[in-house]
Amino acid sequence: MLNSFGSQYLRVVVRLVEFSARAAKGLVTIVLLLTAVFLYYTATYLSLDTDLSKMLDPQLRFRQLEADMRKAFPQFSDLIVVVIDGDSADNANAASQKLMARLKQEKTTLESIYDPEQTSFFSQNGLLYPDKIELLQLSDHLTEAAPFLGTLAQDPSLRGLFTVLGRALDENLSADYRVRLKTMLDSISGIAEALSAGRQVKQSWRGQFIEGTLAQGNDRRHFILIKPKFDYSSMQPGHEGINTVRRVAQELQLDPQHGVRVRLTGEVPIQDEELGSVERGASTAVILSTLLVCLILVVGLRSARLVVAILITLFVGLIWTAAFTTFAIGHLNLISVTFAVLFIGLGVDFGIQFGMRYKEELHRTKNYDLALSEAANGAGGMLTLAALAAAISFFSFTFTSYRGLAELGVISGVSMFIALIFNLTLLPALLKLMPVDMESKLPKSSVLTRLRFPVRRHRKRILGVAALAAVVSLVLLSQVRFDFNPLNMKDPNTESVATFLDLLNDPNTTPYTIDVLTANLNEAKEVAAKVEKLPLVDKALTLASFVPDDQDEKLAIVADMALVLQPLVTPARVAAPSTQEEFRAVEQFQKKLQEAGGENPDSAFAASMKRLANALEKLKSVPGWPDQALQQLRDGVVGDLPQNLANLRKLLQPQHIELKDVPQDLRERYVAADGRARVEVFPKINITDNKELRRFVYEVQKVVPQAIGTPVALVEGGDTVVRACLQASVIALCAALILLLLVLQSVSGAFQVLLPLFLAMAMTAASSVILNLPLNLANIIALPLLLGLGIAFGIYLVMRKRSGLDVEHLFRSSTPRAVLFSALTIVVSFGSLAFSEHRGLAGMGLLLTLALSFTLLCTLVVLPAVMSATEDKR
């Protein structure tokens, strides 16, 4: 029954080819006109959806948890994180405030601006958050510095500074205070030396006697969180917002030349840079693969007309596939956008198979029409079975939860039938209109011709080596790694990724925190208390975390500090000194340094005094002394001291904090509008390593199964992709096996097709271990795709041999040559991705190139050896 169906199908294919040749002009005209219409339709309506959140099935549990969190706290998604580093704490703080003020005016491209440091709130109440021991140590430190700070508060000038420093040199200072004084002397020396060299440097007063009072953690680093407005029709939807931030920072001269570095990271900049590299990489791959495919076609077919006919057929099929995508799906995602590269490689395979068979029959029959009919009769069944096998491989993805890959599966699966139809209709019509030179012969592939003898002679050795390779590959399979972290597919040298990694290494700024959504704040506090007991958890924050503990005791300590530092509460009353007064103050202080330094010239402290005295002396020789030079010295040394003193005065006046006193925008980050509360869990370990990241996630999930956040999404998403690809592989294998058994009606034939395929897959997996090329979210598609591609190659050889040829005559036919050149076109198509600047695409291209190379080797060497061994048994 199947043989009868196959015969009838081949007759239909032959008639279709013959009809296409007879109606060549009309068929080509209609197809090209429709192609033009479809090209316009596609260009007008096909969009690119770059929203990565849609790449996985929204019904997955962790995706539903993500959706709940996003709905409750939408301000956490799609952010630009601006990281501001200054050469001093003052510079960083000033730059942050200026940038934030300006960005709030950019309402066209920026939706919202958030200050995560809550400067206004913590600038008054910041002393209530350190524990009591730290607060008492700070009180002792400021009490010792009270005379110094009191004098500066009254006279924040060079006169006031050098006067109080001169007095300090006469005092019997504690060791700690002496170290701090030495640090200040060295800082002033550096400023004076820089001025002598023509550079302007400012001193950070946060790093001197009032260190630790104005900021926690790294006070030279500040953050701004920005939610931009998106254009999802663009390949880089957040690009305008990113450009706005960069433009404003440039206009404000926030650059290293002015002591500030502004960097952008976060989801939006990382995606923006990645999408840009994907776009450039995909474009490069399409152009490169097209050129290489053309070169291989010219070398392999030796007929310009045949090459042109195949390329026209390829282009038309590509446009029709894009039109189908526009109609059926309406958009491309970041994975399905690579369908063009896949189609160029796979679509041209059918053209090569038909074209080489046509030239073979033309050389034999010397009749164009008869050659087309014979080519259709000989290649039609193989092409159809190959198209079915490849389509099955692609369609297998549609049943998985990896939606991005499922859409690629639908597009590529349908494209196989489009390619098949056009190679059985449009290609024959074009060959009819552009007849190939009848005397043109197929190139003699000396390699393939000579290969038939070693394969037969050394078939046992070949099969032995293949068996050994299979055993080694199976042993290495247990060491195959899957890297679920997409960050490792990105270029670590780009600003956004480098900054992200910088933040990731600091437990206080790590973006990899886990979130837990609870019914209310009380439940959030209970969850936080349980989670904080876990060994891998550093801390768990809720809204209640911003209500300080032991407030009454801390308020009393701060009140005592304010009493001692009362002069700081009173604004300066001394009139600003004249230039001449400051000049005299410099002279007197320089003399004091020289006298004090001479008493103990060998000490490090004396060396610092001598250095400063020399720096002040050298400063007198610069142009503009004393007026301009003193002004620059004042700006560098005194700097923002008055503002810092004002901030300190504010810190000494905290208020008792209750939940209702927490700023609204900070409250909204922990309690949603519907009353649900968020717990933010910080890791204690460095989770840049995937194993540690997985440990952190699993440990928290054991206590709180509803935990979500970037770490959970990475682990769960990676597991989903692996399951999807394994599921697709099993489906494709079972469906392909059934197809082969039905069509070939031979277990041996099906075994011959699948054996080299399995060997190639095992060798590919082993190579990933040897080359330290772990599977990832991009290149994992190589293994299930090989099912369709490898089966197609095997089908060509097995079916041609079943037509009555032995192995020796099989190698003399056009089929092995067609397999060789088809494989080369596919290899260069996928291999072109290896030259992409996008690491994910490049890795995918490299692994696919290895996989296809192994497939070609197994098809042209191992499979003929198996066939030859089978012949001997018969």
Side-chain angles (χ1 to χ4, degrees):
M1 179 177 178
L2 284 172
N3 287 333
S4 175
F5 174 78
S7 299
Q8 291 179 5
Y9 174 77
L10 283 179
R11 284 197 292 270
V12 171
V13 170
V14 172
R15 290 174 183 174
L16 178 63
V17 170
E18 291 174 345
F19 169 79
S20 300
R22 288 195 302 270
K25 291 183 179 180
L27 177 63
V28 171
T29 301
I30 293 174
V31 169
L32 292 181
L33 287 175
L34 288 175
T35 301
V37 173
F38 289 158
L39 179 60
Y40 173 79
Y41 170 70
T42 301
T44 305
Y45 296 104
L46 182 62
S47 63
L48 180 65
D49 189 350
T50 55
D51 190 348
L52 295 178
S53 65
K54 299 178 182 178
M55 297 293 283
L56 294 174
D57 187 350
Q59 298 305 315
L60 293 168
R61 183 173 182 274
F62 85 93
R63 289 297 314 282
Q64 292 178 334
L65 291 173
E66 275 188 324
D68 287 343
M69 182 64 69
R70 186 183 291 259
K71 183 178 180 180
F73 299 98
Q75 63 269 43
F76 292 125
S77 60
D78 304 325
L79 292 177
I80 299 173
V81 179
V82 184
V83 182
I84 305 164
D85 293 300
D87 56 7
S88 69
D90 295 328
N91 275 355
N93 182 62
S96 175
Q97 296 304 311
K98 287 195 295 184
L99 183 58
M100 191 180 309
R102 275 290 305 276
L103 289 176
K104 288 181 178 180
Q105 303 173 16
E106 302 289 339
K107 302 184 182 298
T108 304
T109 56
L110 305 181
E111 183 176 321
S112 63
I113 314 290
Y114 175 71
D115 176 14
E117 296 159 6
Q118 292 295 308
T119 306
S120 59
F121 177 74
F122 290 107
S123 63
Q124 179 175 359
N125 304 297
L127 293 181
L128 298 181
Y129 289 91
D131 60 41
K132 289 186 293 184
I133 295 177
E134 292 176 331
L135 191 58
L136 287 170
Q137 291 174 345
L138 177 61
S139 176
D140 293 341
H141 163 56
L142 289 177
T143 299
E144 187 176 21
F148 180 88
L149 295 176
T151 301
L152 288 181
Q154 298 300 314
D155 186 6
S157 66
L158 289 177
R159 181 184 63 186
L161 175 63
F162 288 152
T163 298
V164 73
L165 286 177
R167 292 173 183 169
L169 295 177
D170 296 328
E171 299 291 334
N172 185 17
L173 305 175
S174 67
D176 178 66
Y177 200 89
R178 196 176 185 85
V179 170
R180 293 179 179 274
L181 182 58
K182 178 183 181 302
T183 300
M184 176 169 287
L185 296 179
D186 289 338
S187 176
I188 298 174
S189 296
I191 294 171
E193 290 165 352
L195 289 175
S196 298
R199 295 180 290 108
Q200 180 73 52
V201 179
K202 289 188 177 182
Q203 176 168 242
S204 172
W205 284 94
R206 297 189 181 199
Q208 301 294 345
F209 288 92
I210 53 178
E211 179 182 16
T213 65
L214 301 177
Q216 300 295 324
N218 185 358
D219 58 358
R220 294 189 180 188
R221 172 170 290 174
H222 291 257
F223 299 92
I224 302 175
L225 304 184
I226 301 172
K227 196 175 187 69
K229 295 181 179 179
F230 292 96
D231 176 13
Y232 283 112
S233 64
S234 168
M235 185 69 176
Q236 297 167 280
H239 195 63
E240 290 301 319
I242 293 173
N243 284 344
T244 296
V245 178
R246 296 194 189 281
R247 172 179 56 79
V248 171
Q250 185 177 12
E251 291 173 355
L252 294 175
Q253 295 184 323
L254 303 181
D255 51 45
Q257 288 73 24
H258 295 84
V260 178
R261 180 172 62 157
V262 176
R263 294 178 293 170
L264 305 186
T265 189
E267 184 178 356
V268 176
I270 290 177
Q271 288 185 14
D272 182 80
E273 291 181 348
E274 180 182 23
L275 296 175
S277 64
V278 167
E279 182 178 26
R280 293 187 296 272
S283 301
T284 301
V286 170
I287 295 173
L288 184 60
S289 63
T290 302
L291 293 175
L292 292 175
V293 164
C294 291
L295 177 62
I296 292 174
L297 287 175
V298 170
V299 173
L301 299 176
R302 302 288 180 85
S303 171
R305 291 185 177 184
L306 184 54
V307 171
V308 171
I310 291 176
L311 291 179
I312 292 175
T313 304
L314 180 67
F315 175 76
V316 169
L318 187 62
I319 298 303
W320 282 54
T321 301
F324 163 78
T325 304
T326 307
F327 175 77
I329 301 177
H331 64 265
L332 293 171
N333 60 56
L334 291 178
I335 293 181
S336 63
V337 74
T338 62
F339 87 93
V341 176
L342 301 181
F343 186 86
I344 289 173
L346 296 171
V348 78
D349 171 54
F350 297 161
I352 291 176
Q353 293 292 336
F354 189 91
M356 284 197 169
R357 191 62 180 266
Y358 168 68
K359 288 197 69 175
E360 179 183 341
E361 298 299 336
L362 182 62
H363 179 67
R364 183 177 63 84
T365 63
K366 306 300 182 181
N367 184 293
Y368 289 111
D369 293 334
L370 183 58
L372 283 174
S373 299
E374 290 298 324
N377 185 61
M382 293 190 299
L383 292 181
T384 302
L385 186 56
L388 283 172
I392 286 172
S393 176
F394 287 120
F395 283 139
S396 64
F397 288 106
T398 62
F399 302 100
T400 70
S401 299
Y402 197 178
R403 176 174 289 185
L405 200 55
E407 292 180 358
L408 175 62
V410 172
I411 297 169
S412 299
V414 171
S415 75
M416 292 298 95
F417 295 111
I418 293 175
L420 175 65
I421 291 172
F422 280 129
N423 277 280
L424 295 178
T425 55
L426 180 60
L427 181 57
L430 291 170
L431 292 176
K432 178 68 175 180
L433 297 177
M434 298 183 298
V436 176
D437 183 3
M438 194 172 294
E439 300 302 321
S440 173
K441 297 182 179 181
L442 285 170
K444 293 183 178 180
S445 179
S446 58
V447 175
L448 291 176
T449 303
R450 295 172 184 173
L451 189 60
R452 69 185 189 275
F453 298 113
V455 166
R456 287 184 59 83
R457 186 182 308 115
H458 303 293
R459 58 188 177 278
K460 291 184 179 179
R461 293 180 181 177
I462 292 173
L463 294 178
V465 172
L468 179 61
V471 171
V472 173
S473 299
L474 290 175
V475 171
L476 291 176
L477 282 181
S478 61
Q479 300 179 39
V480 174
R481 293 186 298 115
F482 177 75
D483 187 353
F484 57 80
N485 193 339
L487 193 66
N488 295 329
M489 294 192 298
K490 308 180 194 304
D491 184 356
N493 297 315
T494 59
E495 178 188 88
S496 60
V497 176
T499 306
F500 190 92
L501 293 173
D502 186 16
L503 300 181
L504 196 60
N505 289 323
D506 186 345
N508 292 315
T509 61
T510 176
Y512 283 176
T513 59
I514 289 179
D515 295 321
V516 181
L517 190 60
T518 61
N520 50 57
L521 182 57
N522 288 332
E523 182 180 336
K525 290 191 288 185
E526 294 175 2
V527 169
K530 289 191 297 183
V531 169
E532 283 187 325
K533 296 178 182 179
L534 298 175
L536 300 183
V537 173
D538 181 42
K539 59 186 175 183
L541 298 181
T542 68
L543 180 64
S545 303
F546 296 94
V547 178
D549 298 327
D550 305 319
Q551 288 194 63
D552 291 338
E553 297 177 54
K554 292 179 181 178
L555 286 169
I557 295 174
V558 175
D560 291 341
M561 292 168 58
L563 183 63
V564 174
L565 300 170
Q566 187 62 36
L568 296 180
V569 181
T570 306
R573 295 176 180 174
V574 178
S578 64
T579 302
Q580 194 62 31
E581 289 175 314
E582 288 194 314
F583 174 76
R584 285 196 296 272
V586 171
E587 290 283 339
Q588 293 172 0
F589 181 57
Q590 184 182 8
K591 183 178 180 180
K592 173 73 72 174
L593 288 170
Q594 293 169 341
E595 293 173 352
E599 297 175 0
N600 192 357
D602 296 326
S603 70
F605 189 71
S608 294
M609 289 189 287
K610 182 177 180 181
R611 176 190 173 190
L612 179 53
N614 292 337
L616 293 175
E617 183 64 29
K618 186 177 180 181
L619 188 62
K620 296 177 183 178
S621 62
V622 302
W625 178 266
D627 296 341
Q628 182 180 352
L630 282 177
Q631 177 64 44
Q632 292 175 336
L633 182 63
R634 185 187 312 113
D635 292 341
V637 173
V638 178
D640 296 330
L641 174 61
Q643 181 60 47
N644 280 319
L645 292 174
N647 293 341
L648 180 56
R649 288 194 291 270
K650 190 174 182 181
L651 274 170
L652 294 173
Q653 304 175 59
Q655 303 295 319
H656 192 280
I657 304 299
E658 298 180 6
L659 278 176
K660 62 180 180 61
D661 300 314
V662 177
Q664 183 64 24
D665 50 358
L666 181 58
R667 168 188 291 272
E668 291 174 352
R669 302 183 81 79
Y670 288 93
V671 177
D674 59 6
R676 289 184 293 175
R678 165 178 167 254
V679 181
E680 186 176 15
V681 184
F682 289 79
K684 184 177 291 183
I685 57 177
N686 188 329
I687 55 176
T688 54
D689 180 77
N690 285 347
K691 291 182 180 179
E692 298 299 321
L693 178 61
R694 191 179 288 273
R695 282 182 59 210
F696 176 54
V697 169
Y698 287 170
E699 184 172 272
V700 174
Q701 284 183 325
K702 286 180 182 178
V703 177
V704 192
Q706 73 272 26
I708 195 58
T710 300
V712 177
L714 289 177
V715 173
E716 297 284 356
D719 292 344
T720 299
V721 172
V722 173
R723 287 194 300 269
C725 289
L726 291 177
Q727 179 184 344
S729 299
V730 172
I731 293 173
L733 175 61
C734 294
L737 180 59
I738 293 172
L739 177 66
L740 290 172
L741 291 174
L742 288 175
V743 174
L744 300 178
Q745 295 185 312
S746 168
V747 175
S748 174
F751 170 78
Q752 289 181 8
V753 172
L754 294 178
L755 178 61
L757 171 64
F758 285 139
L759 180 58
M761 293 178 66
M763 292 171 66
T764 301
S767 297
S768 74
V769 175
I770 296 172
L771 299 176
N772 193 26
L773 186 67
L775 300 178
N776 55 46
L777 298 174
N779 64 28
I780 197 173
I781 68 172
L783 295 181
L785 282 179
L786 277 180
L787 289 171
L789 301 175
I791 288 173
F793 291 159
I795 286 172
Y796 296 145
L797 265 65
V798 170
M799 292 193 69
R800 189 66 192 271
K801 184 178 183 299
R802 286 166 63 92
S803 66
L805 301 178
D806 58 17
V807 173
E808 181 176 346
H809 289 86
L810 174 64
F811 274 96
R812 291 179 177 178
S813 71
S814 63
T815 302
R817 289 195 296 270
V819 168
L820 174 62
F821 286 105
S822 295
L824 289 177
T825 60
I826 299 173
V827 167
V828 299
S829 295
F830 286 114
S832 64
L833 292 173
F835 296 95
S836 169
E837 64 181 73
H838 183 269
R839 295 180 70 185
L841 289 179
M844 180 171 67
L846 178 58
L847 192 65
L848 284 170
T849 299
L850 287 172
L852 293 169
S853 299
F854 286 134
T855 302
L856 180 61
L857 175 67
C858 294
T859 301
L860 292 181
V861 178
V862 178
L863 178 55
V866 173
M867 292 177 175
S868 181
T870 305
E871 286 179 357
D872 292 343
K873 290 183 179 180
R874 293 178 181 175

